[in-house]
Amino acid sequence: QVRLVQSGGGLVQAGGSLTLSCVASGDIISFNVMGWYRQAPGKQRELVATLNTRGGSNYLDSVKGRFTISRNGAEDKAYLRMNRVQPEDTAIYYCNLRQGYQEYWSQGSQVTVPS
C-alpha cells in the first residue's frame, strides 16, 4: 500500500506563484510515475504534469512554460511549481503515483486564482 500526503494550495492572485508538495510512503517500487492532476468545478479531472523516475515528463499544454514538476527521488517527494497562475488554473489539485497496474491519490487541495 502507498500513501500520498499533499501540502500547499490556497488562494493566489493572478500572475503569482504557488508550490504544491507531495510525499509518498509505503511499498514504492523503483520505477514509478508521480504526477499532478486537477479537477475544476463541473469538469473532468485532467492531467497537469507527470514525471517518472527516469526523468521523463509530460505537461498539459496550457501549463507548459508556467508550471514545473520536480521530484526528490531519494525521498519519493514530488513538487509542482506554479508560476504566472491564471483564473483558469482554479481547481482541486491531486498528487498521483502510478506503479505497475496500481495508482494512488492524495487527498487533494484547493487552488483558487480570483479573476
Side-chain angles (χ1 to χ4, degrees), residues 16-57:
S17 298
L18 193 67
T19 299
L20 304 179
S21 303
C22 178
V23 179
S25 61
D27 297 327
I28 301 169
I29 64 175
S30 57
F31 179 75
N32 59 70
V33 182
M34 290 189 77
W36 295 92
Y37 290 71
R38 69 186 183 188
Q39 187 166 17
K43 295 186 177 181
Q44 290 188 329
R45 190 173 297 188
E46 63 181 357
L47 180 151
V48 177
T50 62
L51 180 61
N52 65 40
T53 49
R54 295 173 184 167
S57 63

Side-chain angles (χ1 to χ4, degrees), residues 2 9-10 50 55 57 60 74 83:
V2 173
T50 62
S57 63
L60 179 68
N83 293 327

Side-chain angles (χ1 to χ4, degrees), residues 49-109:
T50 62
L51 180 61
N52 65 40
T53 49
R54 295 173 184 167
S57 63
N58 186 37
Y59 288 89
L60 179 68
D61 283 346
S62 63
V63 308
K64 286 180 181 177
R66 299 189 298 121
F67 292 9
T68 302
I69 186 171
S70 60
R71 296 186 60 166
N72 180 332
E75 297 181 357
D76 291 311
K77 292 182 178 179
Y79 307 91
L80 183 69
R81 177 64 175 177
M82 305 165 61
N83 293 327
R84 304 196 309 277
V85 295
Q86 303 167 1
E88 305 85 81
D89 297 319
T90 295
I92 299 174
Y93 284 72
Y94 299 89
C95 176
N96 172 277
L97 184 147
R98 286 186 286 117
Q99 56 183 25
Y101 296 103
Q102 298 175 311
E103 68 175 351
Y104 304 90
W105 295 92
S106 67
Q107 77 279 16
S109 60

